[in-house]
Each structure stands twice: as C-alpha cells, then as structure tokens.
C-alpha cells in the first residue's frame, strides 16, 4: 500500500501537531472544568506541561513504545493529559468505561497487556483491587483523586501528584527526553486503542494510527468549519471514538476550547451554561431535548401554547422550503423573523443552543422527523456516519447541503461502495490498522480486495448520499422468509417521547414483535397527569393506560410500514436499565443480543 | 379490604413540589412502612393523608370513602389516628387526660380501651395522674401511641416513632407496635428512618425518594434488595481496602 504523507500544518503525527499547537497557543484557554461549581480555565501550556510530566513518568516506569496504557475516568482534563502524555512517548492510550465492572476491566487489562492503569478515584480503584489477582500483568495504578484514600497505601498504587513529581524529576535529569521521544513517533504508529462495545462477543481493541487521525484532521475543515474561539462541550465517553475525535483530536487542529460537563446527569445544565458553538451528541440527547421542549409546551399557558405552536408551524414551513430547495417568500420570511424573535430564539437560549452554528448527531440512527424539528427550531442538526474501525467520520451531511434521512456523502479522500449483499464497504486513509492481537478478527473485517466491511446495510442515492437501513446481523428473516431491517422501525418508534428505545424481534418467527424501553420521565408525567396509579417503575409499565399509550405509538408506526413489517405485539421492559446493565451500551442504546437473552421470557410470551 | 388508598397524590409547599405522584395501598390488618431519607416527603405524605395538607392533585380514600380535601377532624371521625412526629403530647394535662383526649370523637364507653392501653403500657397506669410533661421521651411516645389507640382507629399513622429514642426503647416500642397489630388487629402505616427495625416489623414497604415511590414490595423482599441494604440498612461490602466512601448507583430492583 502506498503511503502518501498526510500533514496538518506541516506535522505528520498527532503528537507533533499537538506539541506545536501547545507552544503556539501557550496561555490561551484549552480546557474548562467546573471546580466546586465554578468554571475554571486551563491553558494549552498546562496541557503540554502535564502531559509531558506524565509521559516522562511513564518512561521512568519503563513503559515502552507500542505498549497500551489504560485510562479509567470520567471526562475531565486529566484524561486528555494522560492520553497525550502516553501517546507522545509512543505508548497507546486506551479508555475504559467508568461503568465497566471489575470483570470487564480485567478483560481489557489482559487483552491489551497494559502495565499501567490510570483510575479516577476510590470507586474505580476498588475495581482494580477486587480483581488484581486476575490481572498480574498490570503493575502500576495511578489514582487521579486522593479523596477517601488519605490513609491508603499499596505498593502498586501511586497518586497523581506523586506521579507528576516523578515526571518532573525525570525532566530535570533528562531535559529533552520527552521531545526526543515524541519525534520518534511515526505516522503509522498506533495513536490509540478503542475498545468496541462488542454487542457480540468480548470487546475488540481497534488500533487507530496517527495517520488515520491526521486524515480526519485534514479533512475536517473541508466538511465542518470550526473557529479558534469556538466553545465545545465534552460529555460523551472519551473511550468512544466519536467524543475522542470531537473533543481531543479536532481541538488540537482547530484550537477550540473544550468545556467538560460535570457529569452525564448535568449535561443539559452545562449545555445551557456553555452554550457551545458546535455540539456533538448521540440521538438520545436530541430526543431528550425534544421531549423537554414538548413537556415545556404542555405546561405552558393558553397564550404561550398558541404562540409556541404558531412559531413551530412557521419554522417548519420555512425549514421544509429550505430542505426542498424552494425559495422562502417575503411574507413567510417576515413571519419567521417574528416567530424567531418572540419564541424560537428564546427556546434556543433556554436549551443552550443560541450560539450553535450547527449541531451533529452520530453513533446511532436518528429519526428524520427529529432532524426536521431541530431545523424548525432554528438549529441545523447534521447527521454523520462512521465507526470505530473507520476512526471516526466516514460520511457526513454538510450544513449547506443536508439531505435529511441520509448520513450524507463520503468525505473527500475516502471511497464508498455497496457490496452485492447490500453491505456498506469503504476504503481510504481513515481505515484502521486492525484489531489488537486478533489477526483473524482483523482478516474477517476486510474483503479480499482490502475494503473495510462495516456490517451495515445501506444504499447510495443518485446524489451520492448514503442511507443506512440497518445492520446485516440484525436483519430479521421471518418464518415466512421475508427480510426485514429493524432499525427503521425502531427509530420511528423512538421518535415518540414516551419510548426511549425499542428492539424489534422476529427472526425465524411467524411475525414481528417488539420489546420497548419506556422513557421514565415522560411516561411518569403522562401517568401523573391522567391520575393513573403507579408506585415504582415496574408498576408503571404494568398500568393498562401506559400499555395503551405505547400501543397507540406502535399502531401509528405500523401505518408507515409494509404488511410484513407490522409489529403484532409488544412488551415493556419492566426494569429501569442503567449504563451498568449489560443490555445497554455506554451511549444508552439497547444491545439486541443481550436484550433478547435477558428478556427471553417476555419475548416467548408474545409467540 | 383496602383500608387506605392513595392515588397519584401531588402535594406542594408553595412552589415546591414535595410529593410527585404517590400511590400506595394499606390493607386491613397490615403494617406498612414508608422508608426514605430526610426530605424525601415522608412526613408530607402523612400530613396529606391526615388532612393537615391538601393535595394539589390525586385522591385519597379511607375504607372506600373519599377523604381528599376533608378537614382533619372529619378524617379522624372516619377512623384515622395520627401519632405525630415528636409525639406532641399535651404536657400540662395528665396522662389519663391525654388518653381521654384521644377518645374525644367517641361517644361510647371508653373504659375498656383505657384498660387496654394500660395493659400494653403499664408505666402509663403507674403515672396516670402525673402531667405528661414529666414523662421521659420513650414514655411520651407510648402515651402518643396510646392516645391514638383510644380513638379505636381503622388506621393508625405513626410518624417516626423511634425519633430521639435509645435503641433499647426503640426496640421496645416496635415490639409493642407488632403486638398491637397481631393481637388487636390494628392496621398501621409507619414512617420510619430506622429502616432495619421498620422492615423487621412491617409486612410491606415503600421507598420514597424525592417525592416519588422508587421501590415497593413485601418487607422481606426489600430487606434482601442490595440497594436497601446499602442505602438504608448500612450494610456495605467494604471491599479490598476495608473501607468504602463511594456509593453504588441506585437501581431500585
């Protein structure tokens, strides 16, 4: 394979670019984080200085080039310090989800062969302590927060400040060691290891090289423009390729400021405080914003409600014209100005979207209706497509050319094709280097002629825009022999504010059925408003009115699908699932295989 | 027979929503306990049931009769007795007078009931002519319960009977509560911070958090729930370090 160098501002690795940008931006704010409720700023110089000490301390511990280093923490600036510190010495940072159990951590430690693990706090440290016997390869643990561990002492465990001091001493002894090592990192070297959530089988570590990322950084400005003084909000797990790209790699190239959300629970408050210029979320976030506004509407008084409905009617009319490329008449334009001034702009400000030039959605399919709703609100929402093995974004809509319902055109420099079986395949500089220590899995991921198999089914329109219809593995072949891709039905169901996720069942069955996870907040509100008695979550799912409500959504959904795609029966999942549950991915998507296994009784009940 | 039916009750303190849609059932002859941390809404629920506060939404029924929005005295006449938090005995009245106050709404003979109360709480008989203000905290609690019993209630509400009592006295009070239920068939709804003893005594329990029921079930089941054990019973797997500061995430199942 020929390797033409890919450079951004003359640098061919992420770490060289990063070092240069840190030097260039110096005291400018790189990150913001809340401490005791107040936003604090941290500069690019802090970024470099911390990462340097971490890199040197890792070298001191004997970490070699090409050796994975694990990071187990919520999103915070130290995550990035550890990430870049490790990458700069040629080690391979790999994130571990904070919701992972001790058992899952053990698997990652064994699979990666890492010797050093960064953990956020006592809670995460306990996972290591619980399972340390099963991961003898893990030699050192560095704890970021000392809270609750004042008297803790363990030969394998070190605290972050001591670790930094070790790096400082190393810097005094070998003043140029860090920079020298950083320069030896080659474009083909791994930049990071991303463990895929693995809906089937154990997680696999996808190796993403510097070249992969440099390609993403080089192509980035061609599709989505960022300004140096843009504010971003980071809240999705940094272990996931999407957030890593958006909040770590992209800001290195663009110089934007990253604000870290306090916790996954406070995202909406933080969104409002930061009011970012661009914001990347998963469909669940957009669905939540939509249902928040829907509830606000239902609680508004008569006049407020009327004004709201009118503004959205005007917004939708205008958005529809713009979407279909038709001119917006002067009358409608004037109406829209008023609607925007009195209603829509206020809503956007309340939501924290007032400064957003555009927002993006990825990692899961989003309903086209939802995208159109955001356009009506006045916030362009753009859907893109990619996967870990493609190191991020492969296709994306453009703000000025958004074909709603598709995931856009392939980014310049990549090639896309649909195989005879309908599988989406691609090739180009962002295709990953393979799975860590799993050559046979890597081989399975590529076609004979070297294209990446995505496992997704889709079609490419005449204009070049890609439409995803589902996963090959998820294709349901009913007992009648009909092929059905459940994703479209599921995403239509999820558009209801009362449904947070759904899994369509029907493989080798007579007809389709569905397991539904209700949205706790909205369904509780529904029950409360209608005096439907319930005590806990399980009793809520059992209330006949709630079942009737969801039945209504299912019936409405059925109207939009063909005869063979009709959902004949459904059940509600009666436990409130959390990110710790195996049935959910860290981005709160239901995992089909686990759901089918865990709730087999509910499924069998329907046949 | 369902003695108390609470349906989707929402109660406010001004703009603050203290109960966010609570539904509970108390069956004849049952002891039902409501667990919850400070500020969960336990006392608000009690006050709403007793009619001291009116719900914004939802309804309540005692022995099948709607009592939503009724004045407290009307609810008491329908067979509800509240043993309030902090006992609230009449300090300048004698014990005997306090107990008779409990039977204020009755016009039949109360001599048997007085005897019954004295048989359960002999100390009250000994000091029957003393002012209630001179009683110890535990004795005042006994008096408050006795006063509640004097109304021959269909349902007795007990708000934090263990408040301010020593562990030994708490045990004693709850033993008597258990006996009253078993021997006299008194139906009770108990709000309690001491989850351990409440679940030992009760048949059924609800967990109230932030004004919502997050868990409901037979007391035995609640006792076995990992969340209840960690957050209400104080049992915690100390782990490898022998100490643990962080709490697991609650799932309530």
């Amino acid at each position: 394979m020929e390797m033409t160098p890919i450079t951004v501002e003359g640098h061919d690795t992420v770490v060289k670019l990063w070092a240069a940008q840190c030097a260039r931006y110096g005291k400018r704010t790189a990150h913001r984080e809340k401490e005791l409720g107040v936003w604090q700023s941290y500069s690019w110089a802090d970024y470099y200085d911390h990462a340097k000490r971490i890199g040197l301390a890792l070298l001191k511990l004997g970490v070699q080039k090409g050796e994975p280093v694990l990071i187990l923490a919520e999103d915070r600036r130290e995550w990035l310090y550890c990430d870049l510190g490790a990458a700069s010495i040629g080690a391979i940072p790999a994130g571990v989800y904070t919701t992972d159990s001790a058992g899952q951590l053990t698997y990652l430690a064994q699979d990666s062969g890492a010797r050093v693990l960064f953990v956020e706090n006592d809670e995460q440290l306990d996972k290591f302590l619980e399972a340390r016997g099963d991961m003898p390869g893990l030699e050192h643990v560095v704890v970021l927060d000392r809270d609750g561990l004042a008297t803790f002492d363990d030969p394998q465990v070190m605290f972050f400040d001591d670790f930094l001091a070790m790096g400082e001493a190393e810097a005094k002894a070998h003043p140029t060691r860090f920079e020298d090592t950083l320069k030896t990192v080659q474009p083909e070297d791994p930049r990071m290891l991303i463990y895929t959530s693995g809906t089937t089988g154990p997680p696999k570590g996808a190796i993403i090289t510097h070249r992969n990322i440099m390609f993403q950084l080089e192509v980035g400005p061609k599709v989505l423009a960022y300004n140096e003084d843009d504010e971003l909000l980071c809240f999705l797990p940094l272990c996931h390729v999407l957030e890593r790209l958006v909040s770590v790699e992209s800001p290195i190239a663009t110089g934007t400021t990253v604000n870290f959300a306090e916790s996954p629970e406070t995202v909406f408050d933080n969104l409002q405080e930061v009011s970012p210029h661009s914001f990347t979320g998963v469909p669940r976030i957009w669905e939540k914003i939509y249902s928040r506004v829907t509830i606000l509407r239902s609680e508004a008084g008569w006049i407020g409600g009327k004004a709201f409905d009118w503004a959205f009617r005007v917004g939708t009319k205008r958005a529809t014209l713009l979407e279909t490329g038709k001119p917006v008449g002067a009358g409608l334009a004037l109406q829209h100005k008023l609607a925007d001034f009195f209603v829509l702009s206020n809503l956007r400000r309340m939501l924290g979207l007032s400064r957003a030039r555009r927002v993006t959605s990825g990692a899961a399919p989003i309903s086209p209706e939802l995208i159109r709703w955001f356009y009506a609100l006045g916030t362009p929402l753009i859907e893109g497509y990619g996967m870990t093995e493609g190191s991020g974004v492969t296709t994306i809509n453009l703000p000025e050319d958004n074909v709603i319902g598709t995931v856009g055109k392939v980014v310049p420099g990549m090639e896309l094709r649909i195989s005879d079986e309908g599988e989406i395949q691609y090739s180009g500089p962002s295709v990953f280097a393979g799975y860590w220590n799993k050559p046979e899995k890597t081989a399975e991921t590529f076609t004979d002629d070297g294209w990446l198999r995505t496992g997704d089914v889709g079609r490419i329109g005449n204009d070049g825009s890609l439409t995803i219809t589902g996963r090959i593995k998820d294709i349901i072949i009913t007992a009648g022999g009909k092929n059905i891709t459940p994703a479209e039905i599921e995403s239509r169901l999820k558009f209801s504010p009362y449904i947070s996720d759904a899994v369509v069942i029907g493989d080798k069955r007579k007809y389709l059925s569905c397991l539904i996870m209700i949205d706790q907040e909205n369904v509780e509100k529904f029950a409360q408003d209608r005096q439907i008695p319930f005590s806990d979550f399980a009793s809520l799912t059992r209330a006949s009115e709630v079942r009737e409500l969801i039945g209504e959504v299912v019936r409405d959904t059925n109207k939009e699908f063909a005869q063979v795609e009709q959902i004949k029966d459904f059940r509600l999942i009666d436990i409130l699932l959390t990110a710790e549950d195996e049935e959910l991915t860290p981005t709160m998507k239901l995992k089909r295989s686990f759901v089918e296994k865990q709730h087999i009784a509910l499924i069998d009940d329907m046949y | 027979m369902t003695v108390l039916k609470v349906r989707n009750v929402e109660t406010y303190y001004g703009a603050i929503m203290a109960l966010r849609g609570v539904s509970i059932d108390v069956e004849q002859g049952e002891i039902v306990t409501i667990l919850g941390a400070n500020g969960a809404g336990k006392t608000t629920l009690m006050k709403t049931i007793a009619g001291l506060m009116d719900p914004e939404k939802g309804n309540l029924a005692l022995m099948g009769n709607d009592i939503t929005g009724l004045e407290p005295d009307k609810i008491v006449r329908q067979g509800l007795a509240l043993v309030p938090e902090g006992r609230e005995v009449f300090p300048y009245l004698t014990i005997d007078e306090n107990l008779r106050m409990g039977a204020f709404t009755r016009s039949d003979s109360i001599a048997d009931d007085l005897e019954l109360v004295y048989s359960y709480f002999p100390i009250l008989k000994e000091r029957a002519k003393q002012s209630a203000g001179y009683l110890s905290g535990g004795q005042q609690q006994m008096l408050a319960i006795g006063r509640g019993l004097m109304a021959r209630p269909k349902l007795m509400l007990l708000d934090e009977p263990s408040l301010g009592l020593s562990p030994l006295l708490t045990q004693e009070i709850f033993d008597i509560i258990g006996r009253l239920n078993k021997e006299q068939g008194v139906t009770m709804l108990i709000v309690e911070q001491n989850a351990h003893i409440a679940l030992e005594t009760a048949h059924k329990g609800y967990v109230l958090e932030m004004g919502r029921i997050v868990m409901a079930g037979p007391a035995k089941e609640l006792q076995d729930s990992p969340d209840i054990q960690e957050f209400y019973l104080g049992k915690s797997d100390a782990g490898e370090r022998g100490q643990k500061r962080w709490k697991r995430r609650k799932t309530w199942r």
Side-chain angles (χ1 to χ4, degrees):
Chain A
M1 231 193 293
E2 104 285 14
M3 287 280 183
T4 45
I6 302 174
T7 60
V8 174
E9 303 193 8
H11 302 285
D12 61 357
T13 64
V14 176
V15 288
K16 278 185 212 157
L17 176 65
W18 166 76
Q21 295 286 68
C22 287
R24 173 172 153 206
Y25 289 127
K27 287 205 165 61
R28 260 195 60 175
T29 300
H31 305 131
R32 254 187 238 110
E33 209 170 74
K34 253 192 180 179
E35 244 148 75
L36 300 175
V38 182
W39 287 100
Q40 304 286 351
S41 306
Y42 302 91
S43 69
W44 286 87
D46 290 331
Y47 198 177
Y48 187 80
D49 173 59
H50 280 85
K52 176 177 177 173
R53 284 187 277 164
I54 290 165
L56 287 171
L58 286 172
L59 284 172
K60 177 84 180 164
L61 289 180
V63 170
Q64 303 287 320
K65 198 174 170 182
E67 182 182 318
V69 168
L70 298 178
I71 307 171
L72 170 49
E74 293 287 349
D75 296 357
R76 51 191 288 163
R77 65 196 164 91
E78 288 88 349
W79 209 112
L80 277 62
Y81 297 166
C82 296
D83 185 17
L84 267 302
S88 296
I89 61 156
I92 318 173
V96 185
Y97 289 100
T98 53
T99 49
D100 277 354
S101 65
Q104 285 162 312
L105 171 64
T106 308
Y107 176 82
L108 296 187
Q110 288 170 348
D111 184 77
S112 66
R115 288 189 295 152
V116 179
L117 162 71
F118 290 94
V119 297
E120 177 158 31
N121 49 25
D122 50 349
E123 176 176 1
Q124 305 301 345
L125 174 66
D126 281 352
K127 291 179 185 168
F128 163 75
L129 296 175
E130 187 186 328
R132 76 202 303 182
D134 299 326
M135 31 187 180
L138 209 51
E139 293 169 15
H140 305 282
V141 178
V142 182
V143 187
L144 302 183
D145 287 340
R146 206 189 270 267
D147 297 351
L149 294 167
T151 58
F152 179 77
D153 187 40
D154 187 289
Q156 268 183 286
V157 180
M158 191 185 257
F159 288 99
F160 195 54
D161 38 4
D162 299 331
F163 187 72
L164 288 176
M166 192 164 97
E168 183 72 53
E170 192 64 11
K172 289 218 172 72
H174 309 280
T176 62
R177 188 174 184 193
F178 183 72
E179 285 74 14
D180 294 345
T181 319
L182 189 149
K183 281 185 198 124
T184 66
V185 177
Q186 297 301 308
E188 287 74 31
D189 289 342
R191 152 74 181 96
M192 60 177 95
L193 210 51
I194 300 267
Y195 275 91
T196 60
S197 56
T199 47
T200 48
K204 304 184 289 274
I207 303 166
I208 294 176
T209 65
H210 282 271
R211 189 181 147 83
N212 290 149
I213 296 295
M214 293 313 278
F215 172 75
Q216 291 277 343
L217 296 184
E218 193 232 5
V219 83
K222 295 179 190 163
V223 287
L224 293 178
Y226 283 99
N227 301 331
E228 271 185 356
D229 41 14
D230 277 358
E231 299 282 340
L232 307 180
L233 179 67
C234 168
F235 79 99
L236 293 170
L238 284 165
C239 315
H240 193 280
V241 70
L242 180 62
E243 190 63 77
R244 195 75 155 278
L245 193 64
V246 170
S247 292
V248 183
E249 313 299 64
S250 164
I252 290 176
T254 55
T256 48
T257 302
V258 178
N259 298 273
F260 293 94
E262 290 161 89
S263 75
E265 290 80 43
T266 58
V267 173
F268 295 109
D269 297 323
N270 297 146
L271 183 62
Q272 205 181 1
E273 291 160 7
V274 174
S275 194
H277 295 89
S278 174
F279 180 60
T280 298
V282 289
R284 201 179 153 76
I285 290 291
W286 306 117
E287 287 156 9
K288 277 263 175 208
I289 292 180
Y290 166 76
S291 51
R292 273 165 69 103
V293 174
T294 311
I295 286 187
L296 273 179
R297 157 69 186 89
S298 70
E299 283 172 351
W302 191 84
I303 295 176
K306 290 285 165 203
F308 179 98
D309 293 343
W310 168 75
F312 263 89
R313 259 198 318 276
V314 171
T316 308
K317 235 186 255 173
R318 178 173 173 273
T320 313
L321 289 174
L322 291 176
E323 186 188 341
T324 48
K326 293 190 186 111
V328 179
L332 183 60
L334 180 69
Q335 276 189 55
H336 182 260
K337 272 220 159 62
L338 290 172
D340 196 68
F341 181 79
F342 286 110
V343 181
L344 302 176
S345 62
N346 294 318
L347 262 178
R348 290 200 301 272
R349 193 171 51 245
M350 277 170 57
L351 295 169
L353 295 171
S354 58
R355 293 199 293 188
R357 288 193 302 276
R358 47 116 216 288
V359 293
T360 47
S361 177
I366 186 168
S367 131
E369 281 87 351
L370 194 57
I371 299 182
R372 293 195 176 98
W373 184 85
F374 273 94
Y375 266 89
L377 174 68
T379 304
L381 173 59
I382 289 159
E383 190 180 10
Y385 164 74
M387 58 195 288
T388 308
E389 290 80 354
S391 27
V393 183
T394 301
T395 74
I396 190 160
N397 273 299
L398 304 180
E400 58 278 10
D401 176 22
N402 191 1
V403 189
I404 296 173
T406 77
V407 291
K409 298 185 181 70
V410 67
V411 298
M414 294 291 291
E415 286 178 279
L416 192 68
R417 74 180 184 194
I418 307 286
S419 77
D420 294 340
E421 298 82 50
E423 184 184 41
I424 300 163
Q425 300 177 343
Y426 54 84
S427 133
S430 78
V431 173
F432 81 138
Y435 294 114
W436 184 252
N437 287 339
K438 286 194 171 56
E440 52 325 317
K441 291 278 176 205
T442 306
E444 282 170 24
T445 314
F446 288 97
T447 62
D448 293 340
D449 56 346
W451 287 55
L452 179 75
R453 294 174 192 273
T454 61
D456 292 323
V457 202
R459 52 176 187 269
I460 302 174
N462 291 333
D463 65 337
S465 293
L466 178 68
T467 306
I468 315 275
T469 46
R471 297 280 298 163
I472 287 192
K473 278 195 232 99
D474 293 352
I475 288 185
I476 292 172
I477 304 172
T478 62
K482 302 285 184 203
N483 282 20
I484 290 156
T485 45
E488 285 177 278
I489 308 176
E490 288 162 2
S491 99
R492 177 62 187 76
L493 285 169
K494 271 163 42 187
F495 186 57
S496 160
Y498 301 114
I499 296 180
S500 98
D501 207 350
V503 170
V504 172
I505 315 278
D507 205 27
K508 303 186 194 71
R509 310 256 193 187
K510 283 200 292 290
Y511 48 83
L512 296 188
S513 66
C514 188
L515 284 183
I516 289 173
M517 178 162 84
I518 57 171
D519 184 287
Q520 185 197 15
E521 215 174 302
N522 294 348
V523 174
E524 259 182 12
K525 174 116 188 21
F526 165 85
Q528 205 42 39
D529 289 347
R530 283 162 192 74
Q531 299 282 304
I532 302 158
F534 67 95
S535 53
D536 53 0
F537 185 75
S539 75
L540 184 64
T541 63
R542 282 193 298 266
S544 61
E545 292 90 341
V546 170
R547 297 188 44 84
E548 185 48 41
L549 168 78
I550 302 297
E552 190 66 40
V553 177
V554 172
R555 274 194 295 283
D556 284 350
T557 305
N558 277 341
K559 281 182 203 146
E560 293 173 28
F561 290 91
Q563 192 57 42
V564 292
E565 293 171 321
Q566 299 291 303
I567 294 166
K568 292 270 161 55
D569 204 353
F570 69 91
R571 290 288 180 275
L572 306 180
I573 296 175
D574 67 352
I575 45 179
L576 187 59
L577 296 172
T578 66
E580 273 88 3
D581 287 303
E582 279 191 319
E583 291 104 307
L584 285 187
T585 67
T587 44
M588 303 293 274
K589 286 186 279 182
L590 280 175
K591 286 191 206 166
R592 183 176 303 276
S593 54
F594 280 105
V595 169
E596 286 178 1
K597 207 165 61 204
Q598 301 272 356
H599 302 282
I600 186 75
L602 284 178
I603 295 173
D604 286 343
D605 195 35
M606 292 188 280
Y607 291 97
Chain B
M1 170 86 201
T2 307
V3 176
L4 177 73
K5 249 188 207 168
V6 176
R7 288 291 174 269
N8 301 75
V9 161
E10 289 181 9
T11 305
Y12 288 78
Y13 290 99
I16 313 282
M17 194 177 187
L19 293 182
R20 301 167 172 267
V22 171
S23 301
I24 64 168
D25 282 309
V26 181
E27 305 292 332
Q28 180 85 54
E30 259 187 340
I31 300 184
V32 176
T33 185
I34 313 254
L35 305 179
N38 287 334
K42 301 183 301 288
T43 299
T44 311
L45 178 59
M46 286 298 199
K47 285 184 175 168
T48 308
I49 295 170
L52 297 165
M53 292 179 77
D54 287 333
E56 204 80 0
K57 264 190 195 166
N59 50 65
L60 305 110
L62 187 65
M63 304 300 289
N65 301 322
D66 186 37
I67 54 164
T68 320
L70 283 191
E71 288 303 314
D73 61 307
K74 299 254 166 49
I75 297 176
V76 169
R77 280 174 213 277
Q78 295 208 20
L80 184 124
L82 172 67
V83 180
E85 184 176 2
R87 309 179 274 266
E88 314 270 354
V89 296
F90 303 104
Y92 299 114
L93 298 187
T94 66
I95 288 156
D96 190 66
E97 285 164 339
N98 262 284
L99 290 174
R100 285 172 193 281
M101 282 301 285
F104 185 78
T105 54
R106 291 174 53 187
S107 47
D108 51 343
S109 156
I110 60 165
D112 289 354
D113 297 284
L114 212 50
E115 259 333 288
L116 182 83
V117 170
Y118 285 144
S119 73
Y120 277 92
F121 304 106
I123 186 74
L124 297 183
K125 189 170 190 177
E126 274 174 37
R127 307 179 64 171
K129 296 296 166 211
Q130 291 180 18
S131 292
Y134 292 119
L135 292 179
S136 76
Q139 291 162 352
Q140 286 191 13
Q141 185 64 56
M142 292 176 189
L143 177 57
I145 295 173
R147 185 180 57 187
L149 279 173
M150 288 302 293
R152 275 224 196 136
K154 306 268 187 338
L155 173 68
M156 202 151 100
L157 307 182
L158 291 104
D159 197 350
E160 302 246 5
S162 76
L163 189 79
L165 300 188
S166 73
L168 204 63
L169 259 172
T170 305
Q171 189 63 50
E172 202 181 323
I173 296 274
F174 270 87
D175 283 346
I176 295 172
I177 288 173
R179 277 178 52 211
L180 281 168
N181 170 260
K182 215 175 283 165
E183 297 164 8
Q184 307 299 324
V186 184
T187 308
M188 295 189 239
L189 179 62
I190 306 177
V191 155
E192 189 47 70
Q193 292 251 7
N194 186 335
H196 179 74
I197 199 151
L199 288 176
E200 282 294 325
T201 316
H203 301 103
K204 198 167 83 184
Y206 292 94
V207 181
L208 196 61
E209 277 213 349
M210 308 283 286
R212 275 196 185 90
I213 303 277
V214 290
M215 201 175 183
K220 192 85 205 75
E221 247 172 56
L222 294 187
Q223 272 176 327
D224 294 339
S225 146
D227 276 345
I228 299 279
Q229 295 203 341
E230 174 147 0
F231 293 99
Y232 286 97
L233 299 176
K235 282 180 202 154
S236 156
D237 176 16
E240 294 291 320
R241 287 187 289 117
Q243 57 162 305
K244 198 170 108 182
R245 188 182 59 104
W246 55 277
K247 294 268 186 200
R248 39 179 272 137
R249 282 171 192 83
K250 297 174 190 172
T251 56
W252 301 122
R253 57 177 94 128

